[in-house]
Amino acid sequence: MKEIFNRFSVRRFEDKPIPDELVVSLLKAAMQAPSAGNQQPWEFLVVTKAETRAKIAEICQYSKPLIGAPLGIVVLADTSKLRFPECLQQDLGAASENILLEAVHLGLGGVWMAIMDFKPLMAGVKEYLKLPPHIEPFATIALGYPAEKKTPQLRYSEAKVHYEKY
Ligand SMILES: Cc1cc2nc3c(=O)[nH]c(=O)nc-3n(C[C@H](O)[C@H](O)[C@H](O)COP(=O)(O)O)c2cc1C
């Protein structure tokens, strides 16, 4: 699938908003992800206001690309009705990757920036975004029309593949 091999982390964006219908496409892709027992433990907070993006970037020191991105999606964990709590982060990771791949498909680019399990970042974002007690921030994804180009290198390595037993 070409999107997988064309994807790279985009941290600089054109000053151009993403149309609402593309934002919905990104969210549809996210929610189409597999999850343990189909628990779908996700919610998403869509952030376009510059002030909000800048504040999240201030709280999360590695989330600076949010400042110049027209769109931020905060991937949230709903911890209230988990059938398989052990799989929470795997489920949210699958949803996050789907957003990045759909972004490439739509001619956009993005970068995934971790919040979970950095406790001070989680607490700061939770307070600022007024998340209820059962909702935790997992990651932010900065998205937009790429202002940088890259041909991703192939990472396939036979040395990392094992057959039958290690
Ligand atoms: C769990 C996770 C956390 C990441 N956190 C950050 C981050 O905080 N800031 C950032 O600029 N990039 C972050 N990235 C992007 C990685 O730096 C990037 O995926 C990696 O360097 C490989 O480059 P590529 O995405 O261009 O293939 C993160 C990626 C993942 C999967």
Side-chain angles (χ1 to χ4, degrees):
M1 180 177 147
K2 68 180 187 324
E3 286 82 353
I4 290 177
F5 295 97
N6 290 340
R7 187 210 60 80
F8 65 95
S9 289
V10 175
R11 298 184 175 86
R12 289 189 298 114
F13 304 94
E14 288 180 11
D15 184 16
K16 179 176 156 189
I18 299 179
D20 288 347
E21 61 270 25
L22 297 198
V23 177
V24 172
S25 297
L26 293 168
L27 296 169
K28 280 184 179 171
M31 294 188 218
Q32 210 59 34
S35 61
N38 199 21
Q39 61 183 350
Q40 302 175 46
W42 42 62
E43 291 192 16
F44 302 89
L45 202 145
V46 176
V47 181
T48 52
K49 282 189 184 157
E51 185 194 333
T52 313
R53 288 185 279 104
K55 185 66 190 173
I56 297 170
E58 188 187 314
I59 297 165
C60 302
Q61 55 182 345
Y62 299 115
S63 295
K64 299 292 177 235
L66 268 182
I67 296 170
L71 172 70
I73 295 180
V74 187
V75 181
L76 302 171
D78 178 353
T79 63
S80 65
K81 35 189 182 290
L82 294 169
R83 287 181 65 197
F84 298 101
E86 300 85 351
C87 296
L88 176 68
Q89 295 205 29
Q90 296 183 55
D91 296 344
L92 296 169
S96 300
E97 180 69 1
N98 273 11
I99 292 176
L100 291 179
L101 293 177
E102 179 69 6
V104 177
H105 183 66
L106 297 172
L108 303 168
V111 58
W112 167 343
M113 297 164 294
I115 302 179
M116 197 176 275
D117 237 343
F118 298 99
K119 301 295 182 196
L121 305 190
M122 290 175 71
V125 169
K126 186 163 176 160
E127 186 187 356
Y128 175 64
L129 296 176
K130 301 189 191 306
L131 305 181
H134 65 288
I135 300 289
E136 298 292 342
F138 172 73
T140 53
I141 304 179
L143 292 144
Y145 291 94
E148 55 181 317
K149 278 203 175 112
K150 192 170 160 185
T151 307
Q153 297 231 309
L154 260 191
R155 294 187 182 133
Y156 179 75
S157 162
E158 273 185 19
K160 298 198 180 212
V161 183
H162 311 278
Y163 295 95
E164 312 305 343
K165 285 189 179 174
Y166 193 94

